Amino acid sequence: MKIIIVCFTYSPSFSYMENQLAKALQMLRHDVKIIASTESYVKDKLADFDSGNYVYDNLSVERIPFDWNGSYFAHKLWKLKGLLKALEDYRPDIIYHMNICGIETKSSVNY
């Protein structure tokens, strides 16, 4: 199965649930991809990454920016610019959201 995990800050060196879940699903021979924002924690500090595709420990990660244009309120809605397109390009069988409080669950429903 093709599975996408959507999380808003993916930190590859941490042992967060999305890290462990992705590895476990890969061990079960699923095709797993993580979609995350360009913001991530590195050594307990928030860092910015470029948009694009990365590979961490054989795990494909696509980083896309927040769509918030400087608005604090919009940033708290966790809107990712281009999530629907990323879903359409990958065509997953399952979408797993780590942060269901964000507005991006709508993009998954629309997919």
Side-chain angles (χ1 to χ4, degrees):
M1 291 176 95
K2 291 176 77 170
I3 301 170
I4 277 190
I5 298 172
V6 179
C7 58
F8 298 117
T9 56
Y10 176 73
S11 303
S13 62
F14 291 9
S15 291
Y16 289 152
M17 187 170 136
E18 56 267 22
N19 303 55
Q20 301 305 316
L21 177 61
K23 288 177 186 176
L25 290 169
Q26 281 184 322
M27 288 173 56
L28 294 171
R29 303 206 187 278
H30 294 293
D31 186 3
V32 181
K33 181 175 187 172
I34 289 183
I35 296 181
S37 75
T38 54
E39 295 180 4
S40 180
Y41 287 94
V42 177
K43 296 184 180 180
D44 297 333
K45 293 185 181 177
L46 195 59
D48 286 321
F49 287 78
D50 291 329
S51 296
N53 293 299
Y54 296 80
V55 176
Y56 302 104
D57 197 21
N58 292 328
L59 179 63
S60 175
V61 177
E62 182 175 352
R63 292 191 179 275
I64 55 179
F66 283 121
D67 187 12
W68 62 289
N69 299 325
S71 166
Y72 175 80
F73 178 71
H75 187 262
K76 292 301 172 189
L77 293 176
W78 300 100
K79 176 97 173 91
L80 292 171
K81 188 181 287 186
L83 177 60
L84 182 57
K85 181 181 180 333
L87 294 173
E88 291 170 344
D89 289 347
Y90 188 69
R91 301 178 47 95
D93 299 306
I94 295 175
I95 303 167
Y96 188 93
H97 274 269
M98 298 302 299
N99 309 78
I100 61 168
C101 62
I103 198 167
E104 281 305 346
T105 52
K106 184 178 180 192
S107 293
S108 297
V109 169
N110 289 340
Y111 168 77

